[in-house]
Amino acid sequence: MALKTFRPLTPASRYKALPSFEEITTSKPQKSLLVIKKKSGGRNNNGRLTCRHMGGGHKQKYRIIDFKRKKRDIEAEVKAIEYDPNRSCRIALLQYTDGEKAYILAPVGLGVGDKVSAGENVEPKVGNALPLSAVPLGTAIHNVEFVAGRGGQIARSAGQLVMLNNREGDYALVKLPSGEIRKIHVKCYATIGQVGNVEHMNVSSGKAGRSRWLGIRPTVRGMVMNPVDHPMGGGQGKSKGGGGRHHPMSPWGQLAKGFKTRKKHKTSSNFIVERRKSKKKA
């Protein structure tokens, strides 16, 4: 994927860098795989604001993605590479030999006409889904399951990949995008390859209006709010928290820098071999 840059004829176009969409092969999604997506505006079922800075935006429909790769040992052909407004990567439309269609995340190198399948005995090539017991060591994978049969939950956004480092008994050691090394059961499925749309991280919208199209409302710093709205608000001018020095924190008093929020005795901690933030060597 390439990015388009623009001549600086306006302030908005000066730093704008947008995707070229050259990999997209169709603009019409598969109707049978669409569902209505309602906007909440960041409010829960009681009408109370639970997620700030959400509202407005263009209408969207949700594409049903097959994260489980449910059809096993049946070959499918890639019919189209499509844009998905609900995620940063592209999606691929598959048509199986029995006529059924499904969407999957489109990895780097997957194109229209390619054949993909899922199962224990399929070839470990881009787009195929295999259990970790059948994936060759050192392979880049994505859409990895935490629990067998639950569907892929790891490495699903644009450009992400997980490296399969080793296998020890019933568990595989994988290195996550964060740098964490973790044990995952070998029965869990994963898809070969790196998630596509790698240049997404370099996209620059160029103007605030593009964020509003995405349903993202403006955000301001807590320090410029009033004391009633934020713990760090108030004071005359650029004060550090009104009455005195105030540590950076969330609107609800949660410390924002260095405060560990993970539970100390979480069950899944037993599966973490190496933390993403390993202690610095003296």
Side-chain angles (χ1 to χ4, degrees):
M1 172 204 150
L3 295 180
K4 292 189 298 184
T5 54
F6 301 83
R7 294 170 59 198
L9 300 178
T10 63
S13 64
R14 182 172 296 276
Y15 301 108
K16 184 162 62 175
L18 301 180
S20 63
F21 299 106
E22 59 188 17
E23 70 276 15
I24 304 297
T25 60
T26 179
S27 59
K28 293 184 178 181
Q30 182 68 27
K31 285 188 177 181
S32 60
L33 297 173
L34 297 181
V35 292
I36 293 174
K37 178 185 173 186
K38 290 188 176 180
K39 290 186 179 294
S40 66
R43 289 162 176 80
N44 64 5
N45 59 339
N46 294 320
R48 293 181 178 142
L49 198 68
T50 55
C51 188
R52 303 182 301 160
H53 317 132
M54 290 175 60
H58 201 285
K59 287 184 178 180
Q60 299 168 337
K61 286 192 175 179
Y62 184 77
R63 278 76 168 161
I64 300 173
I65 310 294
D66 182 15
F67 292 115
K68 295 184 178 182
R69 300 297 291 271
K70 293 177 288 188
K71 296 183 78 68
R72 303 286 163 82
D73 301 313
I74 301 176
E75 196 171 58
E77 182 182 355
V78 179
K79 288 295 184 181
I81 305 294
E82 299 182 14
Y83 170 78
D84 189 347
N86 305 292
R87 62 193 73 252
S88 56
C89 65
R90 307 294 180 236
I91 56 176
L93 177 64
L94 305 184
Q95 182 169 3
Y96 291 91
T97 52
D98 60 1
E100 185 177 341
K101 293 184 178 180
Y103 278 128
I104 64 168
L105 305 181
V108 175
L110 191 71
V112 175
D114 292 347
K115 307 285 187 179
V116 296
S117 56
E120 296 183 9
N121 301 314
V122 302
E123 182 186 356
K125 68 174 187 178
V126 172
N128 284 358
L130 301 85
L132 292 175
S133 58
V135 177
L137 297 181
T139 304
I141 52 179
H142 68 277
N143 190 37
V144 187
E145 291 182 326
F146 261 130
V147 179
R150 184 181 288 177
Q153 294 177 277
I154 312 171
R156 303 195 321 192
S157 59
Q160 295 294 304
L161 62 88
V162 169
M163 294 299 297
L164 177 60
N165 287 350
N166 200 357
R167 276 188 287 266
E168 296 178 356
D170 291 337
Y171 289 91
L173 297 181
V174 298
K175 187 172 184 180
L176 306 184
S178 63
E180 178 179 295
I181 298 178
R182 190 184 186 94
K183 289 181 180 178
I184 298 179
H185 201 279
V186 292
K187 289 185 178 179
C188 293
Y189 266 71
T191 308
I192 305 295
Q194 179 184 11
V195 185
N197 199 18
V198 180
E199 290 290 328
H200 175 76
M201 62 179 292
N202 298 320
V203 170
S204 175
S205 64
K207 61 180 183 180
R210 194 171 294 274
S211 294
R212 299 306 296 263
W213 299 343
L214 299 175
I216 303 171
R217 296 187 66 242
T219 305
V220 297
R221 293 174 295 129
M223 194 177 287
V224 300
M225 295 182 186
N226 294 321
V228 69
D229 298 316
H230 202 282
M232 295 162 58
Q236 303 300 318
K238 279 190 174 180
S239 72
K240 296 293 183 180
R245 174 64 184 162
H246 210 295
H247 288 287
M249 57 177 52
S250 74
W252 304 276
Q254 179 93 298
L255 291 173
K257 293 186 176 180
F259 181 69
K260 290 181 170 51
T261 57
R262 183 179 173 88
K263 293 180 182 178
K264 289 184 178 179
H265 305 290
K266 199 167 184 178
T267 309
S268 62
S269 296
N270 298 326
F271 297 99
I272 299 176
V273 178
E274 184 178 320
R275 297 277 182 179
R276 62 186 178 92
K277 291 183 178 179
S278 57
K279 293 181 180 179
K280 293 182 180 179
K281 295 180 181 179

